[in-house]
Amino acid sequence: MFTILYTISLVLALIGIFGMISQKNLIKILISLNILETGVNLFLVTAGWSAEAKVPIITGKLGLPAAVNFVDPLPQALVLTSIVIGLGITAVALALILRYYRKTGSLTLEPSEFQAGGER
Amino acid sequence: MSNPRISRYIFSLILTVLLGYAVFAALGTQGGTLRFGPHSPASRISGAMIEKNIEGARPNLTAKNHTGPSNVNFAPGSKGLENGAANIVSSIVADYRSFDTFGEVLVLFAAVTGFMLLLPDKKGKNKGVTSEAPNFVLAKAAPIVFAFAMITGVYISFNGHLTPGGGFAGGAVIATGILILVLSGNEFNSQLLSLTETIAGLLFLAVGAAGLVLKGNFLQNVIPTGVLGYIFSSGIVLALNLIIGLKVGAELGSLILAGGKKEI
């Protein structure tokens, strides 16, 4: 299970990298960036995960010693920060994409007719 | 192979596979065996944070059977903890690493400011967002959903130290309510949002300055931590969760208001 989770998170991150390299549509590049973020966040959460451990919230139903019964809360706190920063990046990137669209009239990263020496 | 799209895809695939091989090789093997795998939580867990015992003070527990500082059996009702939040993630985010959270809030503020600055002006020819008139169901249901979203957002912020959630999640829910208002064609007072954001930011700084003045460290806990599991417990965590909820909700709401204007 652990290996599966690690593999899934890394494969998600690689899918994001592949999309960022191969796509030319700016929205698709942004979606790929978000997929990459999701993969990295899942990787970090998996680093503190354990099958036999509980959610790190102290409730009345805990019977075992607390210190060995919780998953590691530190990666989860870091991932919270990471999600918020990903949100900020997405917002700024969308504003930049809007500006690009207003300037060029298209969302693809094609060489425009103003640039000499473009492929097409 | 003459098609540039196909060659681009093949090049990207080769590059991604190489990168993936490098990542898996670096993470996965140590002497030919998998390095990651099942582990015991005790070997990795940040035990001092779980025990709420960072500064070395022994908690005065009223729980039934506790055998020592490394084997503390926490239960609702424990008093005198260094940090009284039942949600350990929340206690890390809003107390032990609240300076990080302060920087995180600043990052979000900078992102919203950059979004406002980068938004294209209204003089342009293209109307990027075409919005239709909202239909009957959306127009009539939006105020009701808005009210429930506001209540849920404040609830999630208020219970961030007891249940999953916290300031950021609550603020996101509040912003969702504003999004529904914008989608249904209603107006929202953006001045109110700016005022809320400013006041919440100043309150965050005030809480930090109170820790600096009274205890000697920025953002140190100055409020009594109370009894674990109660709503008014955990000192600074509750205050900061409420402040962060208001600030994030106002920031994301003003972002949605700016981005959702019909003139874009």
Side-chain angles (χ1 to χ4, degrees):
Chain A
M1 190 64 194
F2 216 76
T3 314
I4 292 171
L5 279 174
Y6 263 133
T7 311
I8 286 175
S9 61
L10 288 174
V11 165
L12 264 179
L14 288 174
I15 287 172
I17 289 173
F18 173 76
M20 284 173 73
I21 296 173
S22 65
Q23 297 300 317
K24 281 195 168 182
N25 191 317
L26 284 168
I27 298 287
K28 286 182 185 171
I29 291 176
L30 188 56
I31 290 173
S32 306
L33 182 66
N34 277 317
I35 293 172
L36 171 60
E37 277 173 15
T38 309
V40 173
N41 289 343
L42 186 59
F43 181 81
L44 285 176
V45 169
T46 311
W49 180 80
S50 175
E52 60 266 23
K54 300 236 176 13
V55 180
I57 294 176
I58 299 168
T59 61
K61 299 185 179 99
L62 291 173
L64 293 173
V68 291
N69 204 21
F70 289 135
V71 297
D72 202 341
L74 196 54
Q76 303 192 3
L78 291 179
V79 163
L80 185 63
T81 307
S82 162
I83 288 171
V84 172
I85 289 173
L87 172 73
I89 287 172
T90 307
V92 174
L94 278 175
L96 280 172
I97 288 171
L98 256 178
R99 239 191 141 81
Y100 182 86
Y101 180 74
R102 293 292 296 279
K103 193 152 182 77
T104 65
S106 106
L107 281 176
T108 50
L109 279 176
E110 301 285 344
S112 63
E113 63 263 26
F114 305 113
Q115 293 172 292
E119 228 176 67
R120 65 180 197 84
Chain B
M1 199 54 73
S2 61
N3 194 345
R5 168 175 292 193
I6 291 177
S7 59
R8 195 174 77 225
Y9 271 75
I10 289 173
F11 172 72
S12 309
L13 195 60
I14 291 171
L15 210 61
T16 310
V17 166
L18 280 177
L19 184 66
Y21 176 73
V23 169
F24 273 99
L27 274 176
T29 59
Q30 192 184 48
T33 58
L34 288 176
R35 190 166 65 188
F36 53 78
H39 58 83
S40 82
S43 67
R44 288 204 187 189
I45 204 143
S46 312
M49 284 182 178
I50 300 255
E51 291 172 12
K52 304 183 184 306
N53 200 10
I54 298 285
E55 292 166 357
R58 283 289 303 278
N60 180 19
L61 296 173
T62 58
K64 283 178 289 186
N65 45 356
H66 59 280
T67 56
S70 65
N71 198 14
V72 177
N73 190 3
F74 277 103
S78 304
K79 285 186 209 165
L81 302 173
E82 181 181 282
N83 174 300
N87 186 351
I88 297 163
V89 177
S90 192
S91 76
I92 291 175
V93 165
D95 191 355
Y96 294 127
R97 291 178 176 257
S98 49
F99 193 66
D100 278 0
T101 306
F102 182 58
E104 188 181 346
V105 168
L106 283 187
V107 164
L108 194 60
F109 176 71
V112 173
T113 311
F115 182 83
M116 301 287 188
L117 280 176
L118 286 171
L119 263 189
D121 50 358
K122 296 174 188 171
K123 297 179 293 191
K125 290 161 288 186
N126 293 327
K127 304 284 186 195
V129 178
T130 60
S131 67
E132 302 174 3
N135 59 18
F136 178 76
V137 175
L138 182 57
K140 292 299 173 192
I144 305 170
V145 178
F146 172 74
F148 276 106
M150 282 288 176
I151 293 170
T152 313
V154 174
Y155 173 81
I156 290 174
S157 302
F158 213 97
N159 282 277
H161 60 298
L162 299 177
T163 54
F168 290 101
V173 173
I174 289 175
T176 312
I178 296 175
L179 173 66
I180 288 173
L181 269 195
V182 169
L183 281 180
S184 67
N186 285 305
E187 293 290 325
F188 198 83
N189 192 354
S190 61
Q191 296 290 324
L192 178 67
L193 288 181
S194 304
L195 192 67
T196 309
E197 184 188 342
T198 313
I199 289 175
L202 288 177
L203 275 176
F204 202 120
L205 271 179
V207 171
L212 185 63
V213 170
L214 294 176
K215 292 285 182 74
N217 286 316
F218 188 66
L219 282 168
Q220 196 171 354
N221 197 352
V222 292
I223 309 170
T225 53
V227 181
L228 184 74
Y230 280 50
I231 183 74
F232 288 111
S233 65
S234 78
I236 199 176
V237 178
L238 176 60
L240 284 190
N241 266 333
L242 277 173
I243 290 169
I244 291 168
L246 282 180
K247 186 163 172 61
V248 170
E251 274 173 350
L252 295 183
S254 55
L255 190 144
I256 287 167
L257 276 184
K261 278 181 190 160
K262 287 170 190 166
E263 287 89 359
I264 284 177

